[in-house]
Amino acid sequence: MLLLGAHMSIAGGVEKAILRGEELGCTAIQVFTKNANQWRAKAISAETASAFAQAWRSSGIKTVIAHDSYLINLAAPEEDKWLRARNAFIDEMQRCALLGIPALVMHPGAHLGSGEKAGIERIAAAFKGIFAEAPEGVTVLIENTAGQGSYLGGRFEHLAEIMDRLPKGRLGICFDTCHAFAAGYDISSTEGYAGVMEEFRRLVGLEHLHAFHLNDSKKPLGSAVDRHEHIGKGAIGLQGFAQLMGDPRFAAVPKILETPKGEDNEFDRMNLGLLRGLAKED
Ligand code: MN
Ligand code: MN
Ligand code: ZN
């Protein structure tokens, strides 16, 4: 079964995301469990958790994953900022556990001038503490980035280095197509796609790839600029997405759109329709 959908708004209650996804025929969705631009959030009540579970159970949605707040930077060199991020991330994992969400996508963070090596050590140190305190049922998915500024995760090597420093089983990867392309990984052609996935296999391992973010890129290959475009309308183009949708190695991996939604999610309908077509063609 194709696990395909989009990031869905939680406006009006987290369970509303399920209803919105269901309306679009999603079989997988992504949500924030709180406002992604704020530190604070209302705790998840028993009522909220049960409304969410009820909506999920009675929907056609198989997979729900969460995305963490944009404020969290586990690579932060300053102690107080790092601690705040670490504690906020534990809270995010607890929110996922309360909602029964099994995976939480996060951006590895920015070293802010302290250097790649120091940043990676910082992230690994944060996760050691996080995994000791946070619920075990939630897998953390590190997302590859466009490699903008001091942001880590633009190279597959960064992802591998973080994973190598931590015990197996609690970490995986979320592969964002726009970010990979902007970071210089050319997935736009058949040969390009094959080469990039081979490099990912060699450095990280395909078994660690637990989710995809499907976004085309407004900006060219290697631009290091993260701007999402509708599927097929950007610099990656349809050929790259056809490769991915037809790749049997990723048939069971959830695939989530993070593209502009338009009025009443009209662009989600368009992009989902296109991707369903590409999945069938193979
Ligand atoms: Mn992300
Ligand atoms: Mn993404
Ligand atoms: Zn992005």
Short mmCIF file of all heavy atoms in Angstrom, two decimals, residues 84-111:
data_model
loop_
_atom_site.label_atom_id
_atom_site.label_comp_id
_atom_site.label_asym_id
_atom_site.label_seq_id
_atom_site.Cartn_x
_atom_site.Cartn_y
_atom_site.Cartn_z
N ARG A 84 17.94 24.34 26.66
CA ARG A 84 16.55 24.65 26.37
C ARG A 84 16.05 23.79 25.20
O ARG A 84 14.93 23.26 25.23
CB ARG A 84 16.42 26.14 26.02
CG ARG A 84 15.00 26.54 25.79
CD ARG A 84 14.89 28.02 25.52
NE ARG A 84 13.56 28.47 25.92
CZ ARG A 84 13.10 29.69 25.75
NH1 ARG A 84 13.85 30.60 25.20
NH2 ARG A 84 11.88 30.00 26.14
N ALA A 85 16.89 23.67 24.18
CA ALA A 85 16.53 22.87 23.00
C ALA A 85 16.37 21.40 23.37
O ALA A 85 15.41 20.73 22.95
CB ALA A 85 17.60 23.03 21.92
N ARG A 86 17.30 20.91 24.16
CA ARG A 86 17.28 19.51 24.60
C ARG A 86 16.00 19.21 25.38
O ARG A 86 15.32 18.22 25.13
CB ARG A 86 18.54 19.29 25.45
CG ARG A 86 18.66 17.96 26.12
CD ARG A 86 19.78 18.09 27.18
NE ARG A 86 19.95 16.87 27.94
CZ ARG A 86 19.13 16.49 28.92
NH1 ARG A 86 18.07 17.21 29.23
NH2 ARG A 86 19.38 15.36 29.57
N ASN A 87 15.66 20.09 26.31
CA ASN A 87 14.46 19.87 27.11
C ASN A 87 13.19 20.01 26.28
O ASN A 87 12.23 19.25 26.47
CB ASN A 87 14.44 20.82 28.31
CG ASN A 87 15.56 20.47 29.30
OD1 ASN A 87 16.04 19.33 29.34
ND2 ASN A 87 15.98 21.45 30.08
N ALA A 88 13.20 20.95 25.35
CA ALA A 88 12.04 21.12 24.47
C ALA A 88 11.87 19.88 23.59
O ALA A 88 10.74 19.48 23.28
CB ALA A 88 12.21 22.36 23.60
N PHE A 89 12.98 19.28 23.19
CA PHE A 89 12.88 18.09 22.34
C PHE A 89 12.32 16.90 23.11
O PHE A 89 11.52 16.12 22.59
CB PHE A 89 14.23 17.75 21.70
CG PHE A 89 14.08 16.81 20.53
CD1 PHE A 89 13.69 17.29 19.29
CD2 PHE A 89 14.27 15.44 20.68
CE1 PHE A 89 13.49 16.43 18.22
CE2 PHE A 89 14.07 14.57 19.62
CZ PHE A 89 13.69 15.08 18.38
N ILE A 90 12.73 16.78 24.37
CA ILE A 90 12.15 15.71 25.22
C ILE A 90 10.65 15.90 25.32
O ILE A 90 9.87 14.95 25.19
CB ILE A 90 12.82 15.70 26.61
CG1 ILE A 90 14.28 15.26 26.49
CG2 ILE A 90 12.05 14.78 27.57
CD1 ILE A 90 15.10 15.41 27.75
N ASP A 91 10.22 17.16 25.51
CA ASP A 91 8.79 17.47 25.57
C ASP A 91 8.09 17.08 24.27
O ASP A 91 6.99 16.52 24.29
CB ASP A 91 8.60 18.96 25.88
CG ASP A 91 7.14 19.30 26.06
OD1 ASP A 91 6.49 18.70 26.94
OD2 ASP A 91 6.62 20.14 25.29
N GLU A 92 8.72 17.35 23.14
CA GLU A 92 8.14 16.98 21.84
C GLU A 92 7.96 15.47 21.74
O GLU A 92 6.96 14.97 21.22
CB GLU A 92 9.04 17.45 20.69
CG GLU A 92 9.16 18.95 20.58
CD GLU A 92 8.40 19.53 19.39
OE1 GLU A 92 7.65 18.78 18.72
OE2 GLU A 92 8.55 20.75 19.15
N MET A 93 8.96 14.73 22.24
CA MET A 93 8.86 13.27 22.19
C MET A 93 7.74 12.77 23.11
O MET A 93 7.02 11.82 22.77
CB MET A 93 10.20 12.62 22.56
CG MET A 93 11.25 12.78 21.45
SD MET A 93 12.83 12.03 21.87
CE MET A 93 12.46 10.27 21.64
N GLN A 94 7.60 13.43 24.25
CA GLN A 94 6.51 13.05 25.16
C GLN A 94 5.14 13.33 24.54
O GLN A 94 4.21 12.54 24.69
CB GLN A 94 6.67 13.78 26.50
CG GLN A 94 7.74 13.10 27.36
CD GLN A 94 8.27 13.98 28.48
OE1 GLN A 94 8.05 15.21 28.49
NE2 GLN A 94 8.98 13.37 29.43
N ARG A 95 5.04 14.44 23.83
CA ARG A 95 3.78 14.76 23.15
C ARG A 95 3.45 13.70 22.10
O ARG A 95 2.30 13.26 21.98
CB ARG A 95 3.85 16.15 22.50
CG ARG A 95 4.06 17.27 23.50
CD ARG A 95 4.24 18.62 22.83
NE ARG A 95 2.99 19.15 22.31
CZ ARG A 95 2.12 19.85 23.02
NH1 ARG A 95 2.34 20.10 24.29
NH2 ARG A 95 1.00 20.28 22.48
N CYS A 96 4.47 13.28 21.36
CA CYS A 96 4.27 12.21 20.36
C CYS A 96 3.78 10.94 21.04
O CYS A 96 2.83 10.30 20.57
CB CYS A 96 5.56 11.93 19.61
SG CYS A 96 5.99 13.20 18.42
N ALA A 97 4.44 10.58 22.15
CA ALA A 97 4.07 9.35 22.86
C ALA A 97 2.61 9.42 23.31
O ALA A 97 1.86 8.45 23.17
CB ALA A 97 5.01 9.12 24.04
N LEU A 98 2.19 10.56 23.82
CA LEU A 98 0.80 10.72 24.28
C LEU A 98 -0.20 10.58 23.13
O LEU A 98 -1.32 10.11 23.33
CB LEU A 98 0.61 12.09 24.94
CG LEU A 98 1.20 12.24 26.35
CD1 LEU A 98 1.18 13.70 26.79
CD2 LEU A 98 0.45 11.35 27.35
N LEU A 99 0.22 10.97 21.94
CA LEU A 99 -0.66 10.91 20.77
C LEU A 99 -0.51 9.59 20.00
O LEU A 99 -1.18 9.38 19.00
CB LEU A 99 -0.38 12.10 19.84
CG LEU A 99 -0.74 13.48 20.40
CD1 LEU A 99 -0.16 14.59 19.54
CD2 LEU A 99 -2.26 13.64 20.53
N GLY A 100 0.40 8.75 20.44
CA GLY A 100 0.62 7.48 19.75
C GLY A 100 1.36 7.65 18.43
O GLY A 100 1.32 6.78 17.56
N ILE A 101 2.05 8.78 18.27
CA ILE A 101 2.81 9.04 17.04
C ILE A 101 4.20 8.42 17.18
O ILE A 101 4.95 8.77 18.10
CB ILE A 101 2.90 10.56 16.77
CG1 ILE A 101 1.49 11.13 16.53
CG2 ILE A 101 3.83 10.86 15.60
CD1 ILE A 101 1.44 12.64 16.36
N PRO A 102 4.58 7.51 16.28
CA PRO A 102 5.79 6.71 16.48
C PRO A 102 7.09 7.35 16.00
O PRO A 102 8.16 6.81 16.27
CB PRO A 102 5.50 5.45 15.67
CG PRO A 102 4.62 5.93 14.55
CD PRO A 102 3.79 7.04 15.12
N ALA A 103 7.01 8.47 15.27
CA ALA A 103 8.25 9.05 14.74
C ALA A 103 8.20 10.57 14.75
O ALA A 103 7.16 11.17 14.45
CB ALA A 103 8.49 8.54 13.32
N LEU A 104 9.33 11.19 15.09
CA LEU A 104 9.43 12.65 15.18
C LEU A 104 10.59 13.13 14.32
O LEU A 104 11.76 12.78 14.58
CB LEU A 104 9.66 13.04 16.65
CG LEU A 104 9.90 14.53 16.95
CD1 LEU A 104 8.72 15.39 16.53
CD2 LEU A 104 10.19 14.72 18.45
N VAL A 105 10.26 13.89 13.28
CA VAL A 105 11.28 14.43 12.36
C VAL A 105 11.88 15.69 12.97
O VAL A 105 11.17 16.52 13.54
CB VAL A 105 10.64 14.77 10.99
CG1 VAL A 105 11.67 15.39 10.05
CG2 VAL A 105 10.01 13.53 10.37
N MET A 106 13.19 15.85 12.84
CA MET A 106 13.86 17.04 13.37
C MET A 106 14.99 17.47 12.45
O MET A 106 15.52 16.67 11.69
CB MET A 106 14.39 16.77 14.78
CG MET A 106 15.35 15.61 14.91
SD MET A 106 17.09 16.04 14.67
CE MET A 106 17.33 17.16 16.04
N HIS A 107 15.34 18.74 12.52
CA HIS A 107 16.49 19.25 11.78
C HIS A 107 17.69 19.15 12.71
O HIS A 107 17.59 19.56 13.87
CB HIS A 107 16.27 20.70 11.36
CG HIS A 107 15.11 20.88 10.43
ND1 HIS A 107 14.77 22.08 9.90
CD2 HIS A 107 14.22 19.98 9.92
CE1 HIS A 107 13.71 21.93 9.11
NE2 HIS A 107 13.36 20.67 9.11
N PRO A 108 18.83 18.65 12.21
CA PRO A 108 19.96 18.42 13.12
C PRO A 108 20.44 19.68 13.83
O PRO A 108 20.90 19.61 14.96
CB PRO A 108 21.04 17.82 12.22
CG PRO A 108 20.56 17.96 10.81
CD PRO A 108 19.09 18.13 10.86
N GLY A 109 20.33 20.84 13.19
CA GLY A 109 20.69 22.08 13.87
C GLY A 109 21.85 22.80 13.20
O GLY A 109 22.42 22.33 12.22
N ALA A 110 22.16 23.96 13.74
CA ALA A 110 23.21 24.83 13.17
C ALA A 110 24.33 25.00 14.18
O ALA A 110 24.07 25.26 15.36
CB ALA A 110 22.61 26.18 12.80
N HIS A 111 25.58 24.90 13.69
CA HIS A 111 26.70 25.01 14.63
C HIS A 111 27.04 26.46 14.97
O HIS A 111 27.79 26.73 15.91
CB HIS A 111 27.92 24.23 14.12
CG HIS A 111 28.52 24.75 12.85
ND1 HIS A 111 29.19 25.95 12.78
CD2 HIS A 111 28.57 24.22 11.61
CE1 HIS A 111 29.62 26.14 11.54
NE2 HIS A 111 29.25 25.10 10.80
#
